């Protein structure tokens, strides 16, 4: 019989999932990591003094193994790779409304923009950054998880922090501004006025699309307000008869899920700054959308 109480694992289960999801960008991998953590937790025969730190170490190591495996697979990935979307709407047992501060924190922790940005880091930089900057573990704890010295971890965090800051194009806006801007984007898109649509887009807006080689999609980023406006206008005309989309909360922000005439899903996610859309993520890979549809 295990010396470890299930209640201690349950207390930290959400943390373990978020660590794994931030490292892998995969909901299915994160779920596998949590399950492996539980099996290892139950196998420990002596009491654990600090369950949070101990379980985080297991989750980090298992997530890094999954990440390295995924990275090898991504070398042959067709086109742009985007993370699996994570539904983040409040559950029935949770408060229906979040404070603006907690909503911003949630969006920053699991935002698609952050997950995409983390792809520029190597596995150890990514783990050190996530554990320190997102979950506030101290350097000795991270060192034990990575099998490195605290000083080496400080260097990893410093390099990762520098790269992430240089890659940040904007700061997050509150939920109301984000939702109003996205709704304005769709109204302008369906209205068919290219200039009105461009007014909702940041001058350096970027569209990234992921079909995973299973469905057609733009293989390269689309950059700039005019090309993006014309691209969105073309999509609207092509799928005019497909019906209205469904609003979802994905990765802490409003997203839109559409189905085409063949019943294939497409998820649109957005980043917003200064009441303009700065980034659009279009996910069509059916394997990454299965848990939503």
């Amino acid at each position: 019989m295990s010396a470890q109480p299930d209640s201690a694992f349950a207390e930290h289960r959400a943390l373990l999932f978020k660590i794994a999801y931030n490292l892998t960008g995969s909901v299915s991998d994160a779920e596998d990591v949590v399950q492996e953590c539980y099996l290892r937790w139950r196998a420990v025969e002596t009491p654990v003094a600090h369950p949070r730190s101990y379980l985080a170490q297991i989750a980090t190591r298992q997530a890094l193994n999954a990440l390295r495996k995924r990275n090898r697979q991504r070398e042959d990935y067709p086109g742009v790779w985007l993370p699996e979307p994570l539904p983040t709407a409040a559950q029935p047992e949770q408060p229906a409304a979040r404070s603006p501060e907690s909503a911003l924190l949630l969006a920053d922790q699991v935002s698609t923009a952050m997950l995409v940005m983390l792809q520029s880091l190597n596995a150890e930089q990514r783990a050190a950054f996530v554990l320190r900057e997102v979950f506030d573990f101290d350097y000795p704890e991270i060192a034990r998880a990575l099998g490195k010295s605290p000083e080496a971890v400080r260097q990893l965090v410093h390099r990762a922090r520098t790269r992430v800051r240089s890659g940040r194009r904007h700061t997050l806006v509150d939920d109301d501004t984000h939702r109003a801007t996205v709704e304005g984007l769709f109204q302008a898109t369906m209205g068919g006025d290219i200039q009105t649509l461009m007014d909702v887009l940041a001058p350096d807006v970027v569209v990234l699309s992921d079909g995973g080689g299973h469905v057609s999609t733009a293989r390269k980023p689309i950059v700039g307000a005019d090309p993006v406006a014309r691209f969105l206008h073309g999509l609207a005309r092509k799928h005019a008869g497909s019906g209205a989309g469904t609003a979802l909360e994905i990765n802490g922000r409003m997203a839109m899920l559409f189905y085409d005439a063949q019943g294939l899903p497409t998820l649109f996610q957005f980043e917003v700054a200064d009441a303009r859309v700065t980034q659009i993520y279009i996910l069509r890979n059916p394997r990454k959308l299965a848990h939503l549809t």
Side-chain angles (χ1 to χ4, degrees), residues 7-282:
S7 58
F9 180 86
E11 180 183 353
H12 302 295
R13 184 185 185 94
L15 169 68
L16 304 180
F17 179 89
K18 285 195 285 187
I19 289 173
Y21 179 68
N22 272 272
L23 292 182
T24 64
S26 166
V27 172
S28 55
D29 282 347
E31 291 172 343
D32 289 344
V33 166
V34 171
Q35 180 63 24
E36 183 64 26
C37 286
Y38 178 71
L39 295 176
R40 290 173 181 258
W41 175 250
R42 294 289 295 170
V44 177
E45 297 179 352
T46 57
V48 175
H50 304 287
R52 181 177 185 268
S53 180
Y54 183 84
L55 286 166
Q57 290 179 42
I58 299 175
T60 299
R61 292 168 183 169
Q62 294 302 311
L64 285 175
N65 289 338
L67 176 61
R68 292 179 179 118
K69 179 180 178 181
R70 290 284 183 181
N71 283 343
R72 290 192 294 271
Q73 296 173 347
R74 286 173 197 164
E75 291 177 1
D76 300 321
Y77 197 83
V80 174
W81 179 92
L82 292 176
E84 289 183 17
L86 177 66
T88 51
Q91 299 301 314
E93 66 273 12
Q94 296 174 334
R98 291 189 292 265
S99 70
E101 294 79 7
S102 64
L104 283 173
L105 178 61
L106 172 63
D108 202 19
Q109 283 184 354
V110 296
S111 74
T112 301
M114 175 61 74
L115 293 172
V116 170
M117 194 179 302
L118 289 175
Q119 297 303 305
S120 65
L121 308 178
N122 65 40
E124 290 185 339
Q125 288 175 341
R126 186 168 183 168
F129 178 84
V130 165
L131 292 175
R132 179 62 184 168
E133 297 295 300
V134 179
F135 299 108
D136 199 32
F137 283 90
D138 61 34
Y139 289 106
E141 287 178 301
I142 302 171
R144 288 192 292 272
L146 298 181
K148 293 184 174 295
S149 69
E151 183 55 37
V153 169
R154 288 181 185 274
Q155 290 298 318
L156 287 172
V157 172
H158 174 72
R159 295 191 189 102
R161 188 185 293 139
T162 299
R163 180 166 293 185
V164 168
R165 284 176 177 171
S166 67
R168 277 188 180 274
R169 300 171 57 222
H170 62 275
T171 56
L172 291 171
V173 298
D174 61 80
D175 279 345
D176 290 341
T177 302
H178 186 277
R179 178 178 292 274
T181 304
V182 170
E183 290 174 347
L185 173 71
F186 275 97
Q187 291 173 3
T189 301
M190 301 311 295
D193 185 340
I194 294 295
Q195 184 56 54
T196 302
L197 182 53
M198 288 178 62
D199 291 341
V200 188
L201 300 170
D204 57 349
V205 61
V206 178
V207 172
L208 299 176
S209 304
D210 178 352
H214 304 288
V215 294
S216 63
T217 191
R219 290 288 187 95
K220 295 182 179 180
I222 303 171
V223 182
D226 183 69
V228 168
R230 296 185 185 282
F231 171 74
L232 294 176
H233 180 56
L235 284 181
R237 293 182 61 185
K238 181 178 179 181
H239 300 290
S242 299
T246 301
L248 304 171
E249 185 184 297
I250 300 293
N251 292 83
R253 292 298 194 188
M254 175 186 174
M256 295 294 293
L257 181 66
F258 290 86
Y259 290 88
D260 64 16
Q262 287 72 46
L264 294 174
T266 299
L267 181 71
F268 289 79
Q269 296 171 270
F270 312 89
E271 294 297 329
V272 174
D274 299 325
R276 287 190 172 188
V277 176
T278 60
Q279 200 98 356
I280 302 174
Y281 306 102
I282 303 177

